[in-house]
Amino acid sequence: MRCNRLGKTNIEVPVIGLGGWALGGGYDWGNADERTVQQTVEAALQAGSNLIDTAPIYGSSEELLGRALLGRRSHVLLSTKCGLVKNGSWTDHDLRASTIRTQLETSLRRLQTDFIDIYFIHYLDPQVPWQEVLNTLLALQKQGKIRYIGVCNIPADTLEEMARTGSISCVQDELSILHAQKATRILEICRAYQLGFMAYGPLCGGILSGKYRREPNLRRADARNYFYKCYRAEAFEKAQSIVARVKQIADRKQVLPVQVALAWVLAQPGVTCALTGARSAQQVQQNADASAVTLTAEELCHLTP
């Protein structure tokens, strides 16, 4: 597995990491099976994908990962998040200092660890200035409970202001062939301030694998129904034209479409790694093998919308 340095930090991360959202099941992804989680994590570690990302809001992900990683903590880079809390059927933003401290302590207990390698602000809280949030996280960093501070889903102008403080080390945002322009400005800022960039959603919930030839009949609460905007009507048809290009290049290179889609993400300037969801050892290995796929300039141009 190829690795990249995460921004200006002293850690190397694999170019393909394991995203823990789907592993947690819940409303977004259906039932979670503990044995499957253990097998998936084992496959990821064997493949060299030892960066594992999760969040308190991802169903049972933290608890399941904590048990799957028991005795293996020293071999894993763990990231989790703060700022989103469940309030009945609603999800609220809450980045008050007391909530951050409570969320972190709960994550540490669930993950059965003493520290988090990269602790992300999941989304900004409009009620709490980001400067206050950073001060809270810096205090926790001094206590040794988190190694590095990261941010997710941040508007570019705010990200640049935060980057100037020198307090953050990493950014997470959505990036895939279907959202080729979405992170352009974010990546420019990451390059300018030497921030690591983790791409989430590189396969858009699996659509870039080519497995959806017709619009899937998804539950209303399914993440592919509300989070990824490419499974309905015109958006689905538009996605299929990109999927066809991905498959064409995959056939030519004798690799899988998922590997071409991931290779495209990894080829974007400023990208440190791609976080890939998986719910089986086979999916983990297929994703990990993208590390060895290189796309030519012509192929990258052909794929980019």
Side-chain angles (χ1 to χ4, degrees):
M1 174 68 67
R2 288 190 290 119
C3 292
N4 288 324
R5 183 171 294 276
L6 185 72
K8 293 184 288 187
T9 73
N10 63 357
I11 58 176
E12 296 278 331
V13 300
V15 295
I16 302 293
L18 178 62
W21 189 12
L23 288 175
Y27 289 111
D28 300 315
W29 296 100
N31 294 331
D33 175 74
E34 181 145 11
R35 180 171 175 77
T36 298
V37 172
Q38 291 174 342
Q39 292 173 339
T40 302
V41 168
E42 176 66 30
L45 297 183
Q46 288 184 0
S49 293
N50 67 323
L51 169 65
I52 301 180
D53 176 77
T54 184
I57 208 75
Y58 294 169
S60 302
S61 179
E62 287 188 329
E63 296 98 323
L64 291 168
L65 286 171
R67 292 195 287 272
L69 293 170
L70 197 60
R72 300 174 174 175
R73 179 65 180 92
S74 62
H75 304 295
V76 176
L77 296 169
L78 269 180
S79 63
T80 191
K81 307 175 183 75
C82 63
L84 292 184
V85 295
K86 280 291 186 183
N87 182 9
S89 60
W90 295 94
T91 300
D92 291 335
H93 298 262
D94 190 343
L95 284 171
R96 292 174 295 174
S98 59
T99 303
I100 292 174
R101 287 192 290 267
T102 298
Q103 281 201 308
L104 177 57
E105 292 300 329
T106 302
S107 291
L108 291 172
R109 175 177 53 79
R110 288 172 174 168
L111 289 164
Q112 302 190 49
T113 184
D114 297 324
F115 68 95
I116 303 299
D117 292 291
I118 311 157
Y119 199 52
F120 286 97
I121 300 169
H122 208 154
Y123 285 88
L124 291 178
D125 181 347
Q127 303 302 317
V128 183
W130 62 261
Q131 295 88 343
E132 291 183 18
V133 178
L134 278 187
N135 286 337
T136 300
L137 293 176
L138 287 168
L140 293 169
Q141 188 179 48
K142 286 182 180 179
Q143 294 173 24
K145 295 184 177 181
I146 58 178
R147 292 178 66 190
Y148 299 105
I149 298 167
V151 293
C152 307
N153 309 301
I154 301 291
D157 290 344
T158 305
L159 174 61
E160 189 156 26
E161 291 179 19
M162 297 177 83
R164 289 194 190 108
T165 69
S167 301
I168 63 174
S169 300
C170 185
V171 177
Q172 259 193 55
D173 214 326
E174 184 176 14
L175 179 62
S176 73
I177 300 175
L178 293 176
H179 300 93
Q181 307 304 319
K182 187 177 187 293
T184 299
R185 178 66 182 133
I186 299 295
L187 284 169
E188 289 175 354
I189 295 169
C190 287
R191 294 195 297 272
Y193 291 90
Q194 294 181 268
L195 302 175
F197 181 89
M198 297 183 184
Y200 72 73
L203 301 176
C204 280
I207 198 170
L208 286 168
S209 71
K211 65 182 179 180
Y212 298 107
R213 297 185 180 181
R214 297 190 182 92
E215 288 186 32
N217 183 22
L218 301 169
R219 295 177 299 108
R220 183 176 182 181
D222 191 294
R224 288 160 292 189
N225 204 24
Y226 73 87
F227 190 81
Y228 296 109
K229 310 298 184 183
C230 53
Y231 284 85
R232 289 288 176 265
E234 292 181 10
F236 182 82
E237 293 305 318
K238 182 179 179 180
Q240 293 309 300
S241 67
I242 302 296
V243 170
R245 292 188 215 172
V246 171
K247 187 177 185 308
Q248 181 185 40
I249 292 176
D251 289 344
R252 185 190 310 157
K253 300 177 84 70
Q254 296 185 318
V255 298
L256 296 174
V258 295
Q259 291 156 3
V260 170
L262 291 172
W264 182 92
V265 170
L266 296 177
Q268 304 310 299
V271 171
T272 308
C273 70
L275 297 171
T276 56
R279 298 187 83 171
S280 71
Q282 181 184 31
Q283 288 179 339
V284 166
Q285 191 59 58
Q286 289 174 350
N287 294 339
D289 287 344
S291 171
V293 176
T294 301
L295 300 177
T296 66
E298 181 182 0
E299 289 168 339
L300 289 168
C301 184
H302 181 65
L303 288 169
T304 303

